C-alpha cells in the first residue's frame, strides 16, 4: 500500500489508542490527537503512544486540542504540515453524558454536539479536497449504541443526539463522495471497557449490568472496536460506504 496519512482523534486512551496501535506500521503516518485530559494529565499518555507508534515503524505526531473550542480543522492543517497530505480520518473523540432531559442544560447539549458532531463536520469539510484526491480516501466516525437504543436502563440524550447526527452526516457525505472513491462509514460500539484514565459515565455496578445486558455476556474491548475501524480503512473495504457497523456482542439484537 502507498503512504497513508491518518488522523485519529481521541487517541490518548481506549478505542482511539487501540486504533493507532493497530494501524502503526512502515508507510503509515499517524496524527494522534487528544485533549490531554481536562488538566493536561493525559498528555504523557499520548506522547508515550506516539513513541510506541514510531517503534512500530510508523511516522507519528501528537496534537493536543479541546474540540469544544472548534479546533478540529487545525488538525487537517497540522497533518498536511507534518506529513504533506491527509488520506484517512478516524473521528473518535467523544464522551457520554448521562444527564436526563430536564436536568440537561442547553450548554451541555451544545457541548456534546460541538465536540462530536461539530468536530466531525469540521474535519470532513476541511479535508474533503485531500480525501477526494487520495487513492485511499477513507473516513470512519465512531458512533454509539446510545443513538439506537437504551439498554440496561441507561439514557444519554445529548450523546444520542450527537451520535445520531454523525451517522446521518456520514451517510450524506458518503453519497456525495462515492464518485471520488472516498468511503465514509460509522462504527457503533456497544458497552466498551474504559482504561483507568478513560472518561467513564458508569459505576462499577453499571458496567457489570452492561455485560449482563450484552448477549455475548461481556463488554467489548477497545481492540474489538479498533478491528472494525481498521477494516473500514483498509483496501478490502473499498466498496463499502454509508454503513454503520454495530460492534456490540449482539446488544443491538435485543
Ligand atoms: N466505551 C464505551 O462504552 C463506548 C460506547 C459507545 C461509544 N463510545 C465512543 O467511543 C469513542 C471513544 O471512547 P472511549 O471509550 O475510547 O473513551 P476514552 O478512553 O474516555 O477516550 C475518549 C477520547 O476522547 C477525547 N476527548 C474527549 N473530550 C474531548 C474534547 N472536548 N476535545 C478533544 N478530545 C476529547 C479524550 O481526550 P483526553 O482524555 O485526552 O482528554 C480521549 O482521548 C467516543 O466517541 C465514545 O462516545 C464508547
Amino acid at each position: 500500500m502507498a503512504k497513508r496519512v491518518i488522523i485519529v482523534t481521541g487517541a490518548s486512551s481506549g478505542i482511539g489508542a487501540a486504533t493507532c496501535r493497530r494501524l502503526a506500521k512502515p508507510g503509515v503516518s499517524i496524527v494522534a490527537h487528544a485533549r490531554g485530559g481536562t488538566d493536561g494529565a493525559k498528555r504523557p499518555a499520548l506522547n508515550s503512544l506516539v513513541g510506541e507508534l514510531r517503534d512500530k515503524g510508523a511516522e507519528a505526531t501528537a496534537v493536543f486540542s479541546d474540540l469544544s473550542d472548534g479546533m478540529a480543522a487545525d488538525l487537517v492543517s497540522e497533518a498536511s504540515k507534518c506529513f504533506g497530505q491527509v488520506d484517512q480520518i478516524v473521528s473518535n473523540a467523544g464522551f457520554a453524558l448521562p444527564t436526563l432531559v430536564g436536568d440537561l442544560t442547553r450548554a451541555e447539549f451544545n457541548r456534546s454536539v460541538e465536540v462530536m458532531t461539530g468536530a466531525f463536520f469540521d474535519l470532513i469539510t476541511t479535508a474533503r479536497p485531500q480525501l477526494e484526491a487520495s487513492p485511499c480516501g477513507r473516513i470512519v466516525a465512531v458512533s454509539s449504541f446510545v443513538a439506537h437504543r437504551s439498554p440496561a436502563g441507561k439514557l444519554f440524550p445529548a450523546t444520542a443526539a450527537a451520535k445520531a447526527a454523525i451517522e446521518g452526516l456520514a451517510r450524506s457525505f458518503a453519497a456525495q463522495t462515492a464518485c471520488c472513491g472516498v468511503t465514509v462509514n460509522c462504527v457503533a460500539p456497544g458497552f466498551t471497557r474504559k482504561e483507568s484514565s478513560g472518561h467513564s459515565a458508569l459505576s462499577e455496578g453499571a458496567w457489570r449490568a452492561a455485560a449482563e445486558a450484552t448477549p455475548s455476556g461481556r463488554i467489548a474491548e477497545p481492540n474489538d472496536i479498533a478491528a472494525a475501524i481498521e477494516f473500514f480503512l483498509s483496501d478490502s473495504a473499498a466498496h463499502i460506504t454509508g454503513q454503520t457497523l454495530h460492534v456490540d456482542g449482539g446488544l443491538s439484537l435485543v
Side-chain angles (χ1 to χ4, degrees), residues 62-129:
V63 178
F64 295 95
S65 64
D66 189 328
L67 296 176
S68 61
D69 297 337
M71 301 298 287
D74 289 5
L75 280 173
V76 176
S77 326
E78 193 62 28
S80 307
K81 201 170 78 189
C82 287
F83 302 124
Q85 62 195 65
V86 178
D87 300 286
Q88 305 191 332
I89 292 174
V90 180
S91 185
N92 163 74
F95 59 94
L97 187 64
T99 313
L100 300 184
V101 173
D103 294 325
L104 184 65
T105 65
R106 180 62 180 267
E108 288 169 326
F109 180 84
N110 288 351
R111 185 166 176 276
S112 293
V113 172
E114 181 62 29
V115 169
M116 293 183 273
T117 323
F120 178 53
F121 172 77
D122 288 344
L123 285 169
I124 63 175
T125 299
T126 317
R128 185 180 60 84

Side-chain angles (χ1 to χ4, degrees), residues 10-15 33-37 42 65-68 92-95 111 115 142-145 163 189-192 194 198-199 207:
S12 58
S13 58
I15 294 166
H33 156 273
R35 180 181 46 189
K42 284 178 73 175
S65 64
D66 189 328
L67 296 176
S68 61
N92 163 74
F95 59 94
R111 185 166 176 276
V115 169
V142 176
S143 180
S144 174
F145 66 92
K163 296 292 195 181
F191 293 106
T192 305
K194 293 279 182 183
H199 306 278
W207 280 110

Side-chain angles (χ1 to χ4, degrees), residues 168-179 182-185 241-243:
L169 179 55
R171 275 193 298 276
S172 182
F173 195 55
Q176 180 181 335
T177 55
C179 57
V182 177
T183 73
V184 188
N185 292 289
T241 195
Q243 304 303 307

